[in-house]
Amino acid sequence: NATYTAVFGNEVDRYVGGALSDKVNWKIDRTTGTLIISGTGAMPNWAAPAGSENHFDNRPWMPYMTEIQHVVVESGITTIGSFAFCHLDSLISVKIADTVTRINQDGFSYNAALKELYIPASVTSIGQGATYQSNNLKTVYGGWETVAGLLKAIGNTAYNDALKAAEYVSTYVAPEPEPNPDAGITPKEDKITLEEGESGKIEATVIPAFPEDSTDLIFRTDSDCITLNADGTFTAVKAGTATVTITTAAGLTATVTVTVTEKAPVANPDAGITPKEDKITLEEGENGKIEATVIPAFPEDSTDLIFTTDSDCITLNADGTFTAVKAGTATVTITTAAGLSATVTVTVTAADNPPQTGDNAVYATIAVCVASLALVALVLKKRSRI
């Protein structure tokens, strides 16, 4: 009586079941509350005496007895065992295949909610108390031409008053099934956000309205910002928003919103400013130029250089050219609008013959003129002597 479970959708355990014998199996469809007996041959019998090894409390579906609303005995089964389906408080209907010839003692006893029972004409023996205390049984369906065959099968067995009192209908008309009120598609995520170039998958759990409904998912998108595959996998192509509609062939539907954002740029790890010379030395009055190579962090960044100095020992121009004005040291900072930065140290030394400026230049000029005049007078004096 080992049990098994079958995964339904992504998360829901739809079926639970196992073996009753080497030829007979049981299974419960938990979405419809249907207990299904399949295989070939006779079902095992259970007993009523308390403490017996095969007491009906040991039936493998007892943990699910409150879920069982319908019993279906499929073709191939020949005998319904004693106490097989007794004390199922939620049981409403039973349908038995026309390979069954015998219903043993108390097969459907103590089922207060049981209203409909389908017994085929193949049944020739119904045991004592088969429907005992199933007093709400109203309709018995069967394949016989008259009720005589069924009444003969019941015979004089005791405790079958409910079965004898029911209304007999020769043709079974299956009632319209009720859709599962929990039917629907539940996406694992109803909103997904990723960057261009990334991949994802839309997953969802399906609860069908009816057991026979397909649970296969169909995916559609209203946007070309993603490429969507039949299995729900997708790739983000470009920035935008896509509504992915998930459906089943039976008409269930749900939506997922996929938002694709622009891919965040990655900064160039080699970005920076590299001066041609990081130290420059010249004399007062000389000119120079600061040059540098720029590798931007991002392609769109400006590579224009901005030069600033912290000293008046040089005069610095916007293009990086400069003039050494007086002895001293200047730190020239080179930057870009994007924030890259580097520095160059400029050292100005005193000139060997510094140029004269201001009053000193005037005095020097006068001295030169006086010296020139003295030289001229000397030359004239020597000539007069000759």
Side-chain angles (χ1 to χ4, degrees), residues 239-327:
T241 300
T243 298
V244 176
T245 302
I246 314 169
T247 58
T248 65
L252 298 180
T253 184
T255 59
V256 173
T257 301
V258 178
T259 301
V260 180
T261 59
E262 291 184 356
K263 187 174 183 180
V266 178
N268 187 335
D270 298 322
I273 299 173
T274 305
K276 185 176 180 180
E277 300 174 273
D278 57 4
K279 293 180 181 180
I280 300 173
T281 301
L282 34 63
E283 288 185 351
E284 294 170 330
E286 290 184 329
N287 296 316
K289 185 174 183 178
I290 297 172
E291 297 178 285
T293 302
V294 182
I295 298 176
F298 303 100
E300 66 273 15
D301 288 353
S302 171
T303 58
D304 293 340
L305 296 176
I306 303 166
F307 301 90
T308 58
T309 179
D310 65 350
S311 173
D312 62 356
C313 70
I314 63 171
T315 56
L316 181 63
N317 302 312
D319 63 354
T321 58
F322 66 93
T323 299
V325 176
K326 62 181 180 180

Side-chain angles (χ1 to χ4, degrees), residues 185-247:
I185 300 173
T186 305
K188 184 177 181 180
E189 301 173 274
D190 57 5
K191 293 181 180 179
I192 300 174
T193 300
L194 33 61
E195 289 185 349
E196 294 169 332
E198 291 184 330
S199 298
K201 184 174 185 179
I202 297 171
E203 298 178 280
T205 301
V206 182
I207 298 178
F210 302 99
E212 65 273 14
D213 288 350
S214 171
T215 58
D216 293 338
L217 296 176
I218 303 165
F219 300 90
R220 296 186 179 91
T221 178
D222 65 350
S223 173
D224 62 354
C225 70
I226 64 171
T227 55
L228 181 63
N229 302 313
D231 62 353
T233 58
F234 66 92
T235 301
V237 176
K238 61 182 180 181
T241 300
T243 298
V244 176
T245 302
I246 314 169
T247 58

Side-chain angles (χ1 to χ4, degrees), residues 146-172:
T146 68
V147 300
L150 178 60
L151 295 175
K152 182 178 180 182
I154 299 172
N156 294 319
T157 55
Y159 309 116
N160 275 319
D161 293 342
L163 191 60
K164 294 176 182 178
E167 175 187 358
Y168 298 108
V169 180
S170 61
T171 302
Y172 176 74

Side-chain angles (χ1 to χ4, degrees), residues 55-77:
H55 188 269
F56 59 75
D57 279 345
N58 293 328
R59 293 170 295 177
W61 48 80
M62 289 303 289
Y64 312 96
M65 61 180 295
T66 59
E67 299 180 32
I68 299 172
Q69 300 180 52
H70 312 282
V71 168
V72 174
V73 180
E74 293 186 342
S75 180
I77 301 300

